[in-house]
Amino acid sequence: MENTQYIKTMSLTSGAKYKIQLQCVAKRGFALSSSGFRVLWNGATVIDGSVPSDYDLHTYSTYVVASGVTNTLILEGRGTVDSQGSTCDNV
């Protein structure tokens, strides 16, 4: 069993700048070690929410540049593999 990944491949204008933003929260009642995540853009980590320090809602954002026409965004769970993890929304 592995952590979950959400993968989205997009056709974008090469060289254009885009903002990635999302909100994530660790699930109350579960260990924070279950709630890490990271965001990858074309294979490179651009947001690292390794292990949260609390159960509050946090907003994460960064800018990326499209390389070529096809670009890939991955939201990946990290930490203990237990079917729990963070909840992320407003991507």
Side-chain angles (χ1 to χ4, degrees):
M1 186 175 186
E2 296 180 5
N3 282 308
T4 300
Q5 284 188 335
Y6 168 80
I7 303 170
K8 176 70 176 176
T9 302
M10 301 166 261
S11 295
L12 301 170
T13 303
S14 183
K17 187 175 181 180
Y18 296 91
K19 183 177 184 178
I20 297 173
Q21 182 170 304
L22 66 157
Q23 293 180 307
C24 296
V25 62
K27 294 180 184 175
R28 291 197 183 276
F30 296 97
L32 290 172
S33 62
S34 295
S35 301
F37 73 94
R38 70 179 175 162
V39 177
L40 296 96
W41 178 254
N42 293 328
T45 300
V46 293
I47 297 175
D48 188 357
S50 293
V51 176
S53 59
D54 57 44
Y55 294 95
D56 296 336
L57 180 67
H58 295 276
T59 300
Y60 301 86
S61 63
T62 191
Y63 287 91
V64 297
V65 176
S67 59
V69 175
T70 303
N71 295 268
T72 304
L73 174 71
I74 300 174
L75 178 56
E76 176 181 80
R78 298 181 76 189
T80 307
V81 179
D82 58 7
S83 299
Q84 301 309 318
S86 289
T87 298
C88 296
D89 205 353
N90 299 321
V91 178

